Amino acid sequence: MRSLKKQTQTVGAIALCLVLGACAASSMKKSGKDQSKTESNYEGAASTVKGSDVKAVITPSAPKLSTGEFKQAQNIYFQRCAGCHGVLRKGATGKPLTPDIMKTRGSAFIKTFITYGSPAGMPNWGTSGDLTEKEIDIMVKYLQHEPPVPPEFGLKEMNASWKVVIPVNKRPKRKMNKYNIQNIFSVTLRDAGQIALIDGGTKKIINVIKTGYAVHISRLSHSGRYLYVIGRDARLNLIDLWMKTPETVAEIKIGLEARSVETSKYKGYEDKFAVAGSYWPPQFVIMDGDTLKPRKIVSTRGLTVGTQEYHPEPRVAAIVASHQKPEFIVNVKETGKVLMVDYSDLKNMKITSIDTARFLHDGGWDSTQRYFLTAANKSNKIAVIDSKKGTLEKLVDVGQIPHPGRGANFVLKGKGPVWATSHLGDASISIIGTDPRRHKKNAWKVVKTIDGQGGGSLFIKTHPKSKNLWVDSPLNPDAGISQSLAVFDIRNLDKGFEVIKIAEMANLGKGPKRVVQPEYNKAGDELWISVWNGKTQESAIVVLDDKTRKLKHVIKDKRLVTPTGKFNVYNTQHDVY
């Protein structure tokens, strides 16, 4: 009986892949199994758009669903499916699931696909036990109905959510605490909907501040005074680090789902503006930097690069502030366009649109802070943007699903200045030359490829004062890999990596204990690493001596609930990585 079930599962999955064209050649390789698990873990995160936000729209020609079943399916879709397939089911990193396609495939086909998944990354929701047979039957019917559209979120809604907790004229005129602000860490407490501010010197928590859910990123104003944090639920907090106890002084909700925030850095505009980008609605908003008052909202809906098809849901991924001009550089994920947004005149705002490759995600500056290198992760490319000229310099082919975070800048012997990315989809680390003046023959090429422990990497890190190159792999299915870091000596990359067992150093109890996002302190002599455990389990932050690679300190506190991202004030303020 078991062998028959296994055979049915295999045949069903392969048949589905052939029909959908979903099985890439790489998925069938030995590493494909790990890759698909990694992708589904990363891309399949729940959308923070709630089913209750969306009105049920039952299609007469589709299989019958009660209002209650429709709402149940709607909630399942936003929790399980929207991250890959998009809120509108038009396809994002996953395939389109629109009614015309689903009706053509038929109910039996859809049920098999949901139940058994595919080797290309679609989870096996049925055989894994995540969805019951009844829930799958409801989803089969739901996917043949027109997708409900979540509400828009414009100026009216933003203003209704906007709150100035402490007016500018009532804030401190000078720093009122004794903390070395430049060495404070903003630490995401993912499942608690909070951040912890931790003193880099004493390793003590300064304050735990309520924020949006699963803060995705922390950014600093040019002056280093204001900290901006944005949750996946699109709640943005402005925190004043000059206060006796740093706390939120303004907040706003900029949509229903978001990932990115940044502040103006160009001379003459320091601390003047903030910008945040949302997944839903697909748009970005420019705000006053000291109050978060919304000033300008820009939609990102439009045509994709290459095929030039209209996409109704191109999500805003990474945003960085140019050091060359008064511009924000905005990655539009699904259309593959990088927008150079000139904020010097919001009324007559100029936007330069640069075609790159689809599914843009994260990235960072080269060492000169002129060239922005950003991952088009599903295209397996790094796009190089010249922020001075406002042009695409090069599309560089790299490994499977690059995910650099900000990347890592260092000097490679014989090759000159380079920038490196690790990958979600394979073990490789691609090292790209970044000096078109003195090392022209190496510029914008992969000058060296080395292998880390395995796929599932989210961050690669070094520091100008360090000789180490650190690579995490928190989404690798092998616990031994996900609970450790690989570290290379930059002076001898061919020597290979040393494995540092970070989770073991933390000495925690049960749980996944994923080791994620190495981050340096201001001095560049300490490395801070999160050991991310379950919400009800103990987590920790491990601090290493960067030179010796030995344990220096373990930060444990009941308030450290699911710590993930860590952002050192000085390094984030000055784009040091």
Side-chain angles (χ1 to χ4, degrees), residues 480-501:
I481 295 174
S482 66
Q483 294 180 5
S484 61
L485 288 180
V487 56
F488 295 83
D489 185 336
I490 289 170
R491 298 164 296 186
N492 186 7
L493 294 175
D494 291 331
K495 182 182 178 182
F497 58 83
E498 178 185 357
V499 175
I500 309 295
K501 298 180 180 180

Side-chain angles (χ1 to χ4, degrees), residues 314-329:
R315 300 174 288 184
V316 177
I319 303 176
V320 297
S322 174
H323 299 270
Q324 305 292 325
K325 299 177 183 178
E327 289 181 337
F328 293 123
I329 302 177

Side-chain angles (χ1 to χ4, degrees), residues 8 11 66 84 93 98 136 155 209 217 225 235 271 420-421 560:
T8 304
V11 171
S66 69
C84 284
T93 48
T98 49
I136 290 173
L155 187 61
I209 300 172
I217 212 160
R225 172 178 182 170
R235 178 179 171 183
D271 292 21
T421 181
L560 283 180

Side-chain angles (χ1 to χ4, degrees), residues 53 138 147 176 206 235 246 287 350 391 470 476 491 541 567:
D53 293 332
I138 291 172
M176 301 300 291
I206 296 168
R235 178 179 171 183
M287 301 157 282
K350 298 175 182 177
T391 57
W470 301 87
N476 193 287
R491 298 164 296 186
I541 295 174
F567 302 88

Side-chain angles (χ1 to χ4, degrees), residues 188-205:
T188 298
L189 306 181
R190 187 186 187 279
D191 295 338
Q194 300 170 329
I195 62 149
L197 296 179
I198 302 181
D199 187 320
T202 65
K203 315 294 190 291
K204 301 293 184 183
I205 294 178

Side-chain angles (χ1 to χ4, degrees), residues 389-439:
K389 292 182 179 179
T391 57
L392 174 67
E393 190 75 13
K394 190 74 179 291
L395 284 174
V396 184
D397 292 320
V398 291
Q400 292 288 319
I401 317 177
H403 193 288
R406 290 290 205 145
N409 286 301
F410 55 96
V411 176
L412 183 61
K413 186 177 180 181
K415 304 295 183 181
V418 295
W419 179 92
T421 181
S422 51
H423 299 85
L424 274 161
D426 63 35
S428 71
I429 297 159
S430 298
I431 301 172
I432 299 170
T434 60
D435 183 4
R437 293 183 63 194
R438 298 182 179 178
H439 299 83

